[in-house]
Amino acid sequence: MLQVKACFGMYPFPHLRLRLLCFVLLCVFSAGAQDTLSLRVMFYNCENLMDTVNDPLTADDDFTPRGSHHWTSFRLWEKLNRLTRVILAAGEGRPPALIGLAEIENDSVLSQWLRNRAMWKMGYRYLITSGIDTRGIDVGLFYQPHRFRLLGWEALRIPMPEGTRPTRDLLHAWGRIPSGDTLDVVVCHLPSRLGGARASRPARRAAHLRLRALMDSLLYIRRQPALIVMGDMNDYPVTKTFLRDLRLGDPERDAINTDSVYDLMIPLHRRLQRGKLPTGSHKYAGDWGFLDHFLVNGQLLDTASVPYLRHPRPFSLPFMLTEDRTHFGMRPQRSYYGFRWEGGYSDHLPVLVDLVCSMSFQASEP
């Protein structure tokens, strides 16, 4: 500060001092901007992103050329092009570094997706589970290796109560972000509400317990844990059993502790209920809500140190929506509405969050 004052003292004319002050402030802010970068993280339930081949071991018959949905290679390619359009728009000039994916049938679908010219240019690689879901769908992850250096990954089976249908595995990946920190990412698609919320609750509780055990272990073994869990939880941010089983905190109203886990959708749900958000991530019976969540540990909510998270939000643009003629307003434009080909995107909207980190190693484009 003394050096700055001395420098200003060399310029007795006020207009020269003002110019010098602006120059100094510009240099300071430019240096700060170069020291950090923002990585966009996205979760998207792609709604029945299936291949066209009948698998005799799974209930995928509807999504074949001769099935009830007349699912052809042309329609699959159309859907992949449309989903790519969403990813490009969500990146706002720079693609998301991490994209969690739900309702993906197998790796052949992701492999075909990455042959799309725009996806190939973005340099994504993928991970996908291979579970025992009765419909044969899994969860996956797109990642850019120049911004997320994969160190390892695993698929974790969820033990289900007797007499309950098997569900999707959890996908856990860990890697280095440009700050040098290790980021743990978990992608999940928990059991559905098929048969009613109450009847299906035991299945989701089993999944909650497995997910909570995984989160506890990661928070215990990491020196400075940085954990992002993203997925279709098939529960809303106000569902009591969901909050209790996973021991989730409210990032706006609860004390922030490093080793506690918080649901970023709780504040968004309040804004949605007050009419301050136009959409959630899913619309059911005319009401918008959040079935798709980001769960994070408290360390990532501390904006005084990096890395930290900011701006969780649902993402939509007009081309992703269509008129809701059954209820009111707008709804996500789907690939199928019932058995009718609608030529859209998904019955879910993606959710986004930005991870701010420092640059200990140079993050270059692929």
Side-chain angles (χ1 to χ4, degrees), residues 220-236:
Y220 178 77
I221 64 174
R222 301 295 189 209
R223 290 183 182 178
Q224 294 181 315
L227 171 64
I228 299 178
V229 179
M230 52 182 163
D232 180 351
M233 305 297 181
N234 273 308
D235 269 315
Y236 297 100

Side-chain angles (χ1 to χ4, degrees), residues 290-354:
F290 286 99
L291 294 178
D292 307 284
H293 298 245
F294 285 116
L295 314 180
V296 304
N297 69 304
Q299 183 65 46
L300 291 179
L301 299 177
D302 182 7
T303 58
S305 62
V306 290
Y308 67 88
L309 292 167
R310 64 180 179 183
H311 306 324
R313 61 213 181 271
F315 176 76
S316 68
L317 289 174
F319 71 81
M320 300 166 61
L321 303 172
T322 190
E323 182 182 357
D324 188 347
R325 297 180 180 178
T326 304
H327 298 97
F328 60 89
M330 307 297 285
R331 62 170 176 82
Q333 186 180 13
R334 308 173 58 165
S335 295
Y336 287 91
Y337 192 68
F339 291 100
R340 179 174 61 85
W341 172 251
E342 193 168 78
Y345 304 83
S346 172
D347 61 342
H348 288 243
L349 296 176
V351 288
L352 307 175
V353 70
D354 293 325

